[in-house]
Amino acid sequence: MISLRLFHPAHDGPLLRTWVTSHAELMTWAGRSFSWPLDDAQLTAYAAEPGRHTWTAITAAGDPVGHVSLAGTRLGRVLIAPEARGRGLGETLVSLTVSHAFGELKLPELSLGVWAHNTAAIRIYEKLGFRTEQVLKDVEEADGMPWTAHQMRLARPDQ
């Protein structure tokens, strides 16, 4: 089981940077929001953005295994530590974030963008009720390949 605690750039940033080891991984995680190589200054500025909530996912033992953020109603920056992948933690992390967004934060909806080639993430989002509202074909290029994005949305269940 995992839980969310506030992201602390000085403490969590160095570890998070080890989870993003290439330009393509950085693009998959955060689009063009950061420049390669990811550094502590960028993470500090990101965590300080007005209206952005950032969390680190931790195990019961307190070990960091993931990261997620909300900016307004936009869910993003979902990342599971490489050594923790394949254990269902991505679904748990997103589910915890959705519960927090609709519960404590009382948001009316959530939206997100995900690259079409990130099929594991798309499966998680769809399983949790997100639906693709728009497909943006070839909106980005990384390593000489065009990338297509899905824009997805989930309304609060009582809406």
Side-chain angles (χ1 to χ4, degrees):
M1 193 56 157
I2 60 173
S3 61
L4 300 178
R5 72 159 164 73
L6 292 178
F7 173 72
H8 301 285
H11 180 260
D12 299 319
L15 180 60
L16 191 148
R17 286 188 297 108
T18 69
W19 299 345
V20 181
T21 60
S22 70
H23 179 258
E25 286 180 2
L26 181 63
M27 282 288 297
T28 298
W29 176 56
R32 293 244 180 243
S33 301
F34 298 105
S35 60
W36 180 256
L38 186 59
D39 59 36
D40 292 333
Q42 292 178 82
L43 290 173
T44 298
Y46 152 69
E49 290 174 11
R52 182 175 296 279
H53 301 273
T54 55
W55 297 282
T56 297
I58 58 170
T59 64
D63 299 320
V65 292
H67 179 86
V68 66
S69 78
L70 281 174
T73 61
R74 188 84 170 166
L75 172 69
R77 315 287 160 60
V78 178
L79 185 64
I80 297 296
E83 67 276 6
R85 293 177 187 159
R87 301 191 322 213
L89 297 179
E91 181 179 342
T92 302
L93 175 57
V94 174
S95 182
L96 284 170
T97 308
V98 168
S99 293
H100 185 74
F102 291 154
E104 291 106 78
L105 297 177
K106 308 260 188 268
L107 297 178
E109 67 178 18
L110 289 173
S111 64
L112 62 85
V114 60
W115 300 113
H117 65 270
N118 194 350
T119 56
I122 291 171
R123 278 193 303 274
I124 289 170
Y125 299 137
E126 288 176 340
K127 184 175 182 181
L128 294 174
F130 284 86
R131 296 295 171 248
T132 298
E133 293 200 323
Q134 187 176 19
V135 175
L136 306 172
K137 189 143 177 69
D138 301 340
V139 293
E140 196 59 71
E141 185 176 304
D143 297 332
M145 298 295 295
W147 286 20
T148 294
H150 288 233
Q151 298 300 309
M152 302 181 82
R153 182 180 172 279
L154 175 66
R156 191 168 69 204
D158 59 357
Q159 291 283 344

